Amino acid sequence: MNSPAAVEALGALAQEHRLALFRLLVQAGGEGMPAGAIAQELGIPNSSLSFHLAHLTRAGLIQQRREGRSLIYTADYDAMNALVGFLMENCCGGTTCAPENTCGADAAQPQGKVSA
């Protein structure tokens, strides 16, 4: 992946609905989801959903296929992995990352309300 492609992909993900949509498709796996199910799950009107799907498709982050009368959308895992690889390229100056610099289970905790 090159810088312009990374900027386009990150720009596409830098919007709340598109980020939620992409994450939903990642969770759906290779089966993907039809547009109607995506709209229902995310509570996005069909007209807005079409715009967001087109934006993510242009950025190369999702793919669509036709099954009968339905369009099925899937995350493009190769593109996702290329983006993450580009972001992590030469991590820690090419040396082994120190334990405090590595991402682990603690870094991926769900965000929510913090209780005292």
Side-chain angles (χ1 to χ4, degrees):
M1 178 167 282
N2 57 34
S3 288
V7 168
E8 185 172 354
L10 291 170
L13 293 172
Q15 199 279 340
E16 185 177 0
H17 292 302
R18 287 192 294 272
L19 181 59
L21 194 160
F22 183 72
R23 293 187 72 202
L24 179 66
L25 291 177
V26 167
Q27 293 169 9
E31 284 186 34
M33 294 180 73
I38 296 169
Q40 184 176 1
E41 182 73 26
L42 297 177
I44 299 174
N46 287 336
S47 58
S48 296
L49 180 64
S50 294
F51 171 79
H52 295 308
L53 287 167
H55 201 98
L56 290 168
T57 300
R58 278 192 309 275
L61 293 170
I62 65 172
Q63 299 176 339
Q64 72 175 17
R65 69 179 185 277
R66 182 168 293 281
E67 285 185 6
R69 294 179 58 195
S70 297
L71 289 175
I72 307 299
Y73 292 89
T74 57
D76 185 329
Y77 293 97
D78 290 338
M80 178 185 71
N81 289 330
L83 178 59
V84 171
F86 178 81
L87 293 172
M88 298 299 294
E89 189 176 350
N90 298 321
C91 176
C92 301
T95 64
T96 303
C97 292
E100 62 272 6
N101 293 339
T102 59
C103 295
D106 293 338
Q109 292 301 314
Q111 296 178 359
K113 292 183 178 180
V114 178
S115 58

